[in-house]
């Protein structure tokens, strides 16, 4: 009987082994998990930079202005021989290190505006948690400079109060209810022409009241992705969806009324 | 040994024996798989090519199993099949055959092992899943598109001849160098690429897919392939950076029109289940 | 913010959500516990099904040997039952300790059904004990019918228990539409979650598969006893038992692909992405492996029948045809397992002009594969028919005409299958999917027509001599082992497919798997896990069978008496068989 038992065991092992061998002999494909962005642990600078790059092109919405047109400094190119942002940041504001300068311009954009540009940049604390802002700083430093953002910065940012931005005054850089001032302060004319001047990235404001009703204008401001004007398909998605947070309700209504009257 | 007649009858005699039948079948199967598949269909005008080694192994394995079942499914045949093997192993007058086997078997085993472990410069065999699972939504120029149920709106609106013309223009301006004049994946540059550009004329590419899937592949290119099927190494650009949405849809119209395939439609059910 | 936020959320969610299992890791631990539990469960759900049917044949056909057979099945059941419960407990403890947060989600959602489950399980156990230990006591008269009803109840409880558990696991695969990570489990509704999109397809699929699995394990048990048998009677009995087990397994197995097809359709309908991941994504090679395994099942089960013809007087006249059936089967396996996208190196790819072979490419699509499978099913059915016909000489006046009709319907089914197989290349994918239904219907219709004709035709047929049960070469019994191992392995593989298509989700698109094991493994490492599960299961099952044998031996004389009663009758009677298809005379 032992012979039979051994034979059976050999058969079972042989068959199971064959199946395993066949399954292993084809190229192996694993289904990876989409990578999570974990800024909690001890991060290497390279990981921070990679995370920052993703935010720069994605959630941060930075590329909307920086790099497209002349509304904001181009961070990749030399800007007149000064080198990319990582190289020139240290000398931008006297007495401020590169790291501090970048962090300040992301969190208090109005504190220092590069000459020749409008103060149109929004406070990123409204859209990003502090640790992610540090990741963006690291990324910017890596563009031509050396990264000196360390894990402590990220951790300190996480420790200091939840992502709560210090109740920033809404309305972008202005509190005014004058529609023209709102348009200027929020850099709308950077993309949309008014009175014949302004960018051509988006449809002009001239005559917009003929094309859209007030409700449509309101929707276009609050949720730019909802519809795209004919002829601007290439630019779909460029307009930030942050104006809902940037404008006060009164400002928004003033703006809508003003635009609807542009016939 | 002398006249051809005795040879023929000797072979006929041997083929009545299960052992030699099995040998002949094995040989025949090998010839069929290795050369027959590549050489016979072209004789009647059907395109063919040699089969990859992986498929050859798989077919031969199946053939061996089949032959073993054949020789052993009747007691009498099984007994006769084993006779020559037994004789070769124990008969005193088969000493030379035994000795030859003792030399040949280890040498061939060694040869096979050598072939397998020998380092080579060529890229190894690889498997590509032609149809990886698409994501449920993609973002196209900042806009979120849900792929499930997405249809080519150009098929319902506007002038279809116009769309076709646009698609043709877009194809010849952008896709031609790789995917070729005949849409068969043999453009001028195609030979430089591994993986090679897909042939749309093949019944297994766009013929099997919904238009939204094709849209996803064109818009996102090789970079947008999911990680599940790495390594991709696909050189396909992400055309969303160069073409508008309507241009992509019209090139899709052109692809289907030109190859004659019909896109898979969204109806109440999807593709085949587990057979 | 769009895609980043949930990811960060997921990271935050990991803390405290997972336990650690030493050496092999949490996932492997739960995998083994679940798979082995499932294999035992399939066995203890499958065996009662045909224990009851066999007992009914014994009662209504007034044939005692079927009754003995049913009792022998049930004896295996009693020991296997506690193993099922033990592994179920292991699985539960592993889940609560290793995946506490996920478990609490399930508990919040399914709490009530878990209590019902336990209650039903309790009732099921005692029904089983009554059924087995009451066998001899309620052997005659009205009591026997009562006993049989117990067996029926056993099946009802078992099925209910399985349906509830299926609700839990199909919920993980296809949670009710509209559910998101923020949805409170309590707000979903128990019935809503249980009766989700893939619940019924899985129920049906498993019900069928369990019977198949039970049959193959019983056949393996019989094979073992055959090989260990000391007397001719014993050998005859176990030869017959092995045949019955295998018959049940294979004949039910034939309908399993259709249930699988239904399940696949529902998965596609629920979520296209889930469907494509399953059939075209990283799992596409799994189906080639599955084709290889099913090919082995078809080949070996036919082989078993052909060897079996050696013990049937009169079967000689069919033997020359077996080799042609073998040719069809081998071609079928080759076609079915031909991959559409081939593994090839650079040079081979160039020769083929892509990873699709210009000539064999046509074999890689659904039409060809469906055709191959249907022809293989027809061939297997023909093997059974010839086997059954072998020792009979029909006396009915219309026997010749009947045989011709049978032949014609085989021909018609083949023609339909081939026609739609070829025509499928000329129509769009959507129409083509519908064709497989026609092919299946043609095959099923043929099977029904031929069986009905056969039963009528062979009524009162003369015998060409009794089957010489027990005169089987040993390799036929090893074939039964091979079938059982392959069935078990296939079950593990399909389990991986079902569970793996969720990828990195505990509950598809509701709860993410944020553990270190979230990666869905490649086929090779999955195969190693499956093999481990299969070996654990088979090891335990052999031990259980050995135990039941031990129990038998401790009461000397009894087994001999049982066997004397159980052995097939001496080669005299050839009256109408009570179980026409089982060919037991």
């Amino acid at each position: 009987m032992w012979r039979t038992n051994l034979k059976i065991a050999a058969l079972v092992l042989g068959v199971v082994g064959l199946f395993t061998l066949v399954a292993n002999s084809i190229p192996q494909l694993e289904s990876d998990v989409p990578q999570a962005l974990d800024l909690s642990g001890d991060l290497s600078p390279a990981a921070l930079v990679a995370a920052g790059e993703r935010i720069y092109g994605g959630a941060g919405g930075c590329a909307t202005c920086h790099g497209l047109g002349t509304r904001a400094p181009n961070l990749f190119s030399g800007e007149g021989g000064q080198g990319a942002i990582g190289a020139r940041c240290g000398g931008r504001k006297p007495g401020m290190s590169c790291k501090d300068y970048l962090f300040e311009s992301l969190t208090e954009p109005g504190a220092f505006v590069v000459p020749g540009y409008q103060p149109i940049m929004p406070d990123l604390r409204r859209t990003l948690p502090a640790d992610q802002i540090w990741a963006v700083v690291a990324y910017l430093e890596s563009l031509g400079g050396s990264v000196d953002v360390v894990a402590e910065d990220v951790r300190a940012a996480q420790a200091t109060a939840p992502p709560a931005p210090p109740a920033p005054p809404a309305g972008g850089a202005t509190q005014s209810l004058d529609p023209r001032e709102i348009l200027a302060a929020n850099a709308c004319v950077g993309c949309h022409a008014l009175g014949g001047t302004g960018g051509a990235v988006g449809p002009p404001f001239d005559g917009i009241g003929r094309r859209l009703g007030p409700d449509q204008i309101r929707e276009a401001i609050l949720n730019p992705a909802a519809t795209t004007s004919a002829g601007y398909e290439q630019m779909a998605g460029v307009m930030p969806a942050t104006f809902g947070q940037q404008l006060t309700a009164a400002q928004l209504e003033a703006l809508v009324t003003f635009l609807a009257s542009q016939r | 040994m002398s006249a051809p007649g005795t040879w023929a009858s000797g072979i006929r005699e041997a083929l009545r024996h299960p052992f030699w039948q099995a040998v002949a079948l094995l040989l025949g199967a090998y010839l069929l798989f290795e050369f027959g598949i590549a050489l016979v269909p072209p004789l009647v005008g059907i395109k063919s090519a040699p089969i990859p080694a992986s498929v050859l192994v798989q077919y031969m394995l199946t053939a061996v199993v089949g032959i073993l079942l054949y020789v052993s499914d009747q007691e009498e045949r099984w007994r006769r099949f084993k006779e020559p093997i037994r004789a070769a192993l124990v008969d005193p007058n088969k000493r030379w055959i035994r000795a030859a086997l003792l030399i040949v078997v280890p040498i061939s085993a060694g040869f096979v092992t050598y072939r397998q472990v020998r380092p080579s410069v060529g890229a190894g065999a690889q498997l590509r899943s032609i149809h990886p699972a698409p994501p449920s939504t993609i973002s196209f120029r900042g806009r979120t598109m849900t792929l499930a149920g997405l249809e080519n709106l150009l098929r319902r609106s506007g002038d279809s001849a116009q769309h076709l013309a646009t698609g043709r223009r877009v194809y010849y301006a952008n896709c031609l160098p790789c995917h070729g004049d005949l849409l068969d994946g043999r453009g001028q540059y195609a030979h430089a690429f591994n993986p090679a550009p897909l042939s749309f004329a093949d019944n297994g590419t766009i013929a099997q897919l919904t238009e939204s899937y094709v849209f996803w592949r064109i818009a996102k290119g090789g970079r947008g392939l999911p990680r599940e099927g790495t390594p991709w190494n696909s050189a396909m650009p992400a055309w969303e950076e160069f073409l508008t949405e309507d241009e992509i849809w019209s090139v899709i119209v052109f692809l289907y029109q030109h190859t004659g395939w019909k896109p898979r439609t969204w109806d109440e059910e999807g593709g085949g289940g587990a057979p | 913010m769009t895609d980043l936020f949930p990811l960060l959320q997921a990271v935050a969610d990991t803390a405290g959500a997972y336990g650690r299992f030493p050496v092999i890791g949490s996932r492997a631990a739960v995998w083994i516990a679940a798979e082995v539990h499932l294999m035992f469960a399939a066995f203890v759900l499958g065996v009662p099904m045909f224990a009851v049917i066999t007992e009914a044949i014994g009662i209504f056909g007034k044939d005692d040997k079927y009754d003995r057979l049913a009792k022998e099945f049930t004896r295996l059941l009693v020991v296997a039952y506690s193993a099922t419960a033990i592994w179920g407990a292991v699985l539960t403890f592993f889940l609560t300790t290793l995946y506490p947060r996920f478990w609490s989600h399930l508990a919040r959602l399914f709490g009530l059904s878990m209590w019902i489950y336990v209650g039903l399980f309790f009732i099921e156990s005692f029904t089983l004990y009554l059924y087995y230990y009451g066998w001899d006591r309620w052997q005659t008269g009205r009591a026997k019918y009562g006993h049989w009803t117990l067996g029926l109840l056993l099946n009802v409880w078992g099925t209910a228990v399985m349906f509830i558990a299926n609700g839990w696991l199909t919920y993980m695969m296809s949670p009710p539409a509209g559910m998101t990570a923020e949805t409170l489990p309590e707000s979903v509704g128990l019935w809503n979650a249980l009766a989700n999109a893939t619940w019924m397809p899985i129920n049906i699929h498993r019900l069928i598969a369990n019977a198949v699995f039970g049959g193959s394990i019983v056949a393996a048990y019989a094979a073992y006893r055959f090989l260990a048998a000391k007397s001719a009677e014993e050998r005859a009995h176990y030869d017959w038992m092995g045949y019955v087990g295998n018959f049940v397994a294979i004949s039910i197995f034939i309908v399993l692909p259709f249930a699988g097809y239904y399940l696949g359709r529902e998965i596609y309908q629920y979520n296209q992405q889930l469907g494509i991941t399953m059939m075209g994504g990283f799992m596409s090679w799994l189906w080639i492996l599955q084709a290889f395994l099913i090919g082995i099942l078809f080949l070996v089960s036919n082989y078993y029948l052909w060897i079996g013809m050696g013990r049937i007087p009169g079967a000689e006249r069919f033997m020359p045809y077996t080799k042609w059936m073998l040719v069809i089967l081998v071609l079928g396996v080759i076609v079915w397992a031909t991959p559409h996208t081939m593994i090839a190196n650079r040079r081979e790819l160039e020769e083929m002009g892509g990873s699709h072979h210009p000539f064999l490419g046509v074999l890689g699509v659904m039409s060809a594969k469906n055709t191959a499978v249907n022809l293989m099913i027809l061939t297997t059915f023909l093997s059974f028919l010839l086997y059954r016909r072998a020792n009979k000489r029909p006396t009915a006046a219309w026997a010749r005409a009947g045989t011709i009709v049978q032949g014609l319907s085989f021909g018609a089914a083949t023609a339909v299958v081939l026609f739609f197989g070829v025509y499928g290349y000329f129509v769009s994918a959507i129409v083509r999917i519908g064709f497989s239904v026609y092919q299946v219907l043609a095959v099923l219709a043929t099977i029904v027509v031929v069986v009905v004709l056969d039963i009528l035709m062979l009524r009162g047929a003369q015998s060409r001599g009794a089957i010489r049960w027990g005169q089987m070469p040993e390799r036929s019994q090893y074939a039964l082992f091979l079938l059982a191992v392959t069935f078990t392995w296939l079950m593990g593989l399909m389990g991986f497919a079902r569970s793996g298509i969720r990828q990195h989700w505990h509950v598809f698109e509701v709860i993410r798997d944020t553990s270190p094991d979230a990666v869905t493994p490649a086929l090779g490492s999955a195969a190693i896990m499956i093999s481990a599960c299969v070996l654990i299961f088979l090891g335990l099952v052999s031990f259980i069978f050995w135990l039941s044998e031990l129990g038998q031996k401790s009461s000397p004389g009894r087994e001999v008496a049982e066997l004397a009663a159980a052995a097939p009758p001496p080669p005299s009677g050839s009256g109408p068989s009570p179980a026409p298809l089982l060919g037991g005379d």
Side-chain angles (χ1 to χ4, degrees):
Chain A
M1 201 52 217
W2 274 113
R3 254 173 81 95
T4 316
N5 283 341
L6 279 180
K7 269 196 210 165
I8 296 171
L11 177 91
V12 170
L13 286 177
V15 171
V16 167
L18 173 74
F19 295 161
T20 316
L21 186 73
V22 170
N24 275 289
S25 64
I26 57 177
Q28 301 292 302
L29 304 178
E30 260 187 8
S31 166
D32 270 358
V33 184
Q35 232 170 5
L37 180 62
D38 180 7
L39 299 178
S40 57
D42 276 318
L43 275 177
S44 68
L48 259 183
V49 168
E53 187 175 1
R54 281 179 59 190
I55 299 165
Y56 183 89
C62 315
T64 310
C65 295
H66 295 277
L68 191 72
T70 54
R71 279 170 294 157
N74 188 325
L75 303 178
F76 302 109
S77 72
E79 285 273 316
Q82 305 168 60
I85 183 68
R88 69 185 185 233
C89 56
R92 268 292 193 214
K93 199 172 170 186
M96 222 172 183
S97 73
C98 173
K99 186 166 82 172
D100 293 341
Y101 165 69
L102 287 176
F103 189 74
E104 184 195 80
S105 44
L106 289 169
T107 52
E108 292 168 62
F112 176 81
V113 179
V114 180
Y117 292 97
Q118 297 289 316
I120 59 171
M121 177 152 159
D123 180 351
L124 282 183
R125 282 174 296 180
R126 255 184 260 132
T127 45
L128 296 177
D131 48 359
Q132 295 192 21
I133 293 180
W134 278 114
V136 175
V137 172
Y139 169 63
L140 293 176
E141 283 185 333
S142 77
L143 298 172
S146 59
V147 180
D148 59 352
V149 176
V150 287
E152 272 68 49
D153 293 322
V154 178
R155 225 170 287 136
Q158 283 168 333
T160 55
T174 178
Q175 295 286 345
S176 166
L177 286 180
D178 175 5
R180 286 186 188 273
E181 209 168 306
I182 300 171
L183 288 178
N186 289 287
C188 306
V189 282
C191 298
H192 304 272
L194 181 62
T197 63
V201 177
F205 286 148
D206 296 312
I208 191 171
R210 258 178 290 140
R211 286 171 289 153
L212 303 175
D215 287 345
Q216 287 166 302
I217 293 174
R218 195 177 297 112
E219 188 193 13
I221 294 172
L222 296 177
N223 183 12
T227 49
T228 304
S229 302
Y232 291 88
E233 289 86 358
Q234 297 231 2
M235 299 297 165
V238 167
M239 176 156 160
T242 52
F243 293 114
Q245 288 138 25
Q246 239 159 284
L247 302 170
T248 62
Q251 283 182 324
L252 175 68
E253 288 316 307
L255 201 53
V256 169
T257 319
F258 172 73
L259 291 176
S261 68
Q262 299 293 313
R263 290 179 178 274
Chain B
M1 287 282 165
S2 53
T6 48
W7 266 101
S9 71
I11 289 175
R12 223 172 304 139
E13 185 63 30
L15 279 184
R16 266 189 222 114
H17 194 283
F19 182 79
W20 298 111
Q21 280 176 346
V23 171
L25 280 173
L26 205 57
L27 204 65
Y30 177 74
L31 292 176
L32 175 72
F33 297 144
E34 178 74 85
F35 303 107
I37 291 177
L39 301 178
V40 175
L43 297 181
V44 291
I46 300 172
K47 232 173 93 178
S48 190
I51 61 174
S54 65
V55 180
L56 181 69
V57 169
Q58 182 192 329
Y59 282 5
M60 284 309 291
L61 199 66
T62 317
V64 168
V65 171
I67 290 167
L68 279 180
L69 293 191
Y70 166 70
V71 294
S72 67
D73 77 346
Q74 283 170 28
E75 202 52 42
E76 173 63 16
R77 203 185 285 151
W78 181 230
R79 194 184 52 72
R80 288 185 62 204
F81 173 77
K82 288 188 295 188
E83 262 170 13
I85 301 173
R86 199 189 141 76
L89 290 180
V90 295
D91 271 12
N93 61 351
K94 301 276 193 315
R95 202 181 314 132
W96 291 112
I97 296 183
R98 240 185 335 270
L101 281 179
L102 267 180
I103 296 167
V104 169
V105 170
I107 284 184
S108 31
F111 181 67
V112 169
T113 316
Y114 167 72
R115 294 247 321 198
Q116 283 196 340
V117 300
R118 180 183 55 164
S120 74
V121 289
Q126 52 175 308
L127 168 72
R128 289 176 61 228
S129 171
I130 298 287
H131 304 149
S136 48
T137 58
I138 59 172
S139 91
F140 183 79
R141 299 183 174 217
R143 201 153 54 79
T144 304
M145 297 173 91
T146 305
L147 285 183
L150 184 66
E151 290 187 25
N152 189 345
L153 288 178
L154 297 188
R155 295 210 182 268
R156 288 216 227 106
S157 63
D159 177 10
S160 56
Q162 179 68 40
H163 297 323
L164 190 59
T166 316
R168 184 186 303 276
R169 181 181 57 69
V170 172
Y171 183 86
Y172 280 96
N174 301 294
C175 320
L176 178 76
C178 301
H179 290 284
D181 220 4
L182 303 172
L183 278 64
D184 58 355
R186 301 217 158 191
Q188 296 190 18
Y189 298 163
H191 304 286
F193 294 120
N194 179 25
L198 283 192
S199 157
F200 302 124
D202 188 290
N203 68 356
T205 58
I206 59 170
Q208 301 270 343
L209 300 169
T210 58
E211 289 187 293
S212 70
Y213 192 104
V214 181
F215 183 90
W216 167 54
R217 293 305 335 124
I218 296 175
K220 295 295 174 183
R223 272 189 284 144
L225 285 165
R227 297 191 46 120
E228 68 191 32
T230 44
W232 285 103
N233 308 330
S234 164
M236 173 97 168
W239 290 101
E240 63 176 343
E241 290 161 13
F242 309 97
L243 302 176
T244 65
E245 187 180 348
D246 278 1
E247 279 174 331
I248 295 181
W249 284 123
S250 39
V251 84
I252 293 174
V253 171
F254 169 74
L255 291 182
Y256 281 102
Q257 170 76 26
H258 203 74
T259 52
W261 299 119
K262 294 261 180 303
R264 169 167 262 164
T265 43
W266 296 100
D267 70 350
E268 63 277 27
E269 41 258 343
Chain C
M1 296 303 287
T2 43
D3 60 334
L4 221 59
F5 184 69
L7 295 180
L8 288 169
Q9 193 61 40
V11 172
D13 282 351
T14 310
Y18 300 103
R20 247 167 217 273
F21 195 84
V23 187
I24 57 172
S26 302
R27 174 171 65 186
V30 167
W31 190 334
I32 291 175
E35 190 59 61
V36 177
H37 170 62
L38 215 72
M39 284 165 178
F40 271 111
F43 180 68
V44 301
L45 289 174
V47 171
M49 284 187 219
F50 52 90
V52 164
I53 295 173
T54 319
E55 193 187 3
I57 294 173
I59 296 173
F60 297 109
K62 309 230 172 347
D63 191 339
D64 211 30
K65 78 181 162 165
Y66 284 97
D67 195 63
R68 294 280 159 196
L69 186 65
K71 189 182 174 192
E72 193 162 3
F73 288 158
T74 316
R75 196 181 69 219
L76 302 180
L77 209 53
V78 175
V79 207
Y81 198 80
S82 50
T84 315
I86 293 168
W87 279 94
V90 171
L91 174 60
T92 317
F93 289 142
F94 278 5
L95 276 177
T96 47
T97 52
L98 299 177
Y99 293 83
R101 188 170 298 173
F102 170 58
W103 176 262
S104 83
H105 172 87
L106 283 185
R108 281 166 75 189
L109 190 51
F110 288 112
L112 176 63
S113 65
M114 288 172 177
W115 302 332
I116 300 175
Y117 180 90
V118 171
L120 279 173
F121 198 78
F122 188 79
I123 300 173
E124 189 192 355
S125 332
F126 281 87
T127 312
L128 173 65
Y129 294 142
L130 275 179
Y131 185 59
Y132 178 66
Y133 292 106
W135 204 290
D136 294 329
R137 177 128 189 201
W138 300 310
Q139 187 56 266
T140 50
R142 291 256 288 280
K144 184 68 187 164
Y145 292 103
H147 181 255
W148 185 72
T149 315
L150 274 180
L152 213 56
L153 276 179
L154 181 62
N155 277 291
V156 172
W157 306 140
T159 309
V161 161
M162 183 186 75
F163 277 24
I164 294 179
N166 285 351
W168 304 336
L169 68 96
T170 50
Y171 163 77
M172 293 165 65
M173 191 160 71
S174 54
M179 218 181 148
T180 64
E182 282 78 39
T183 314
L184 279 179
E186 286 84 357
S187 67
V188 178
L190 177 59
W191 177 251
N192 207 6
L194 268 183
N196 56 68
T198 54
W199 186 49
M200 253 315 140
I202 286 268
N203 284 344
I204 294 172
H205 198 25
R206 283 201 163 166
L207 211 54
I208 299 173
N210 288 346
V212 175
F213 187 66
S216 71
I217 297 292
V218 165
Y221 166 77
Y224 180 75
R225 298 296 300 263
F226 177 94
L227 294 175
K230 303 229 164 35
S231 68
E233 286 91 32
E234 224 180 317
R235 210 168 288 132
H237 173 70
Y238 286 110
D239 183 11
W240 178 67
M241 183 175 176
Y243 169 75
V244 173
N246 183 50
F247 174 83
V248 169
I250 298 300
S251 53
I252 301 179
F253 178 65
I254 284 177
V255 294
L256 197 53
F258 309 136
Y261 191 76
Y262 169 46
L263 174 60
R265 261 169 90 113
E266 289 299 318
I267 291 177
Y268 260 93
Q269 226 161 358
Y270 174 75
N271 185 315
Q272 185 91 2
Q273 196 194 352
L274 212 56
I276 297 184
T277 306
M278 178 174 74
M279 299 306 296
F282 81 105
M283 282 200 171
S284 52
W285 271 82
L286 187 144
W287 306 104
I288 300 294
L289 187 61
Q290 185 219 25
F292 174 70
L293 292 177
I294 296 183
I296 287 181
L297 289 178
F298 271 116
L299 282 171
V300 175
S301 53
N302 277 282
Y303 175 70
Y304 175 78
L305 287 176
W306 297 333
I307 297 186
M309 285 186 178
R311 55 170 145 60
I312 308 179
E316 311 78 46
R317 65 188 197 282
F318 296 137
M319 286 194 179
Y321 304 111
T322 57
K323 58 176 169 289
W324 301 115
M325 298 202 280
L326 180 63
V327 168
I328 296 178
L329 288 175
V330 169
L331 286 180
V333 173
I334 283 183
V335 169
W336 195 8
T338 296
H340 194 207
T341 306
M342 295 177 174
I343 304 174
N345 61 31
R346 184 74 210 264
R347 184 183 52 76
E348 293 165 337
L349 281 175
E350 290 228 326
E351 283 170 349
M352 294 194 293
S355 46
H356 293 175
H357 191 276
F359 179 64
L360 294 180
V362 296
L363 301 182
V365 295
M366 274 315 257
S367 275
K369 291 175 195 281
N370 281 342
T371 308
V373 174
N374 280 300
L375 290 182
M376 284 162 79
I377 291 177
L378 273 181
T379 310
T380 308
F381 176 60
L382 185 63
S383 280
F384 267 116
L385 205 69
L386 296 184
Y387 182 94
R388 177 178 137 70
R389 198 52 100 66
N391 69 337
K392 302 211 175 66
R393 188 180 288 125
T395 50
W398 50 278
R400 203 177 160 71
T403 310
I404 291 173
V405 172
Q406 284 180 326
L408 283 180
S409 52
F410 263 107
T414 312
V416 168
V417 168
L418 284 177
F419 169 75
F420 281 114
V422 175
Y423 188 47
Y425 286 98
F426 301 98
V427 296
S428 72
I430 290 301
V431 184
R432 186 162 58 234
I433 290 166
F435 282 0
S436 58
V437 178
Y438 305 139
Q439 293 181 321
V440 166
L441 285 181
V443 171
L444 287 183
T446 299
I447 291 178
V448 170
V449 167
V450 170
V451 165
V452 169
L453 277 179
D454 222 50
I455 291 174
L456 293 178
M457 201 156 61
L458 294 184
R459 195 173 270 174
Q462 288 176 347
S463 173
R464 292 170 187 265
I467 298 176
R468 299 182 290 267
W469 290 111
Q471 295 190 13
M472 264 305 241
E474 286 197 352
R475 59 180 187 283
S476 66
Q477 304 303 310
Y478 289 108
L480 290 181
F481 280 115
L482 205 158
L483 284 176
V485 176
T486 310
F487 268 123
T488 316
W489 211 89
L490 187 58
M491 198 162 128
L493 183 71
M494 292 298 97
F496 167 63
R498 186 196 57 70
S499 193
I501 54 173
R502 278 179 292 137
Q503 297 179 292
H504 52 274
W505 297 93
H506 287 313
V507 179
F508 188 66
E509 293 191 335
V510 175
I511 302 185
R512 266 183 84 101
D513 183 349
T514 52
S515 70
D517 295 325
V519 173
T520 316
L523 202 49
S525 30
I528 292 172
M529 288 298 298
I530 296 166
S531 297
C533 294
V534 168
L535 291 179
I536 293 174
F537 171 72
L538 290 178
L540 285 174
V541 159
S542 337
F543 179 65
I544 286 171
F545 287 171
W546 179 73
L547 276 186
S548 86
E549 203 183 345
L550 204 66
Q552 285 285 310
K553 275 181 186 153
S554 61
S555 49
R558 191 163 147 221
E559 190 181 22
V560 179
E562 259 184 36
L563 276 172
S572 60
S574 62
S577 161
L581 268 175
L582 294 184
D585 55 332

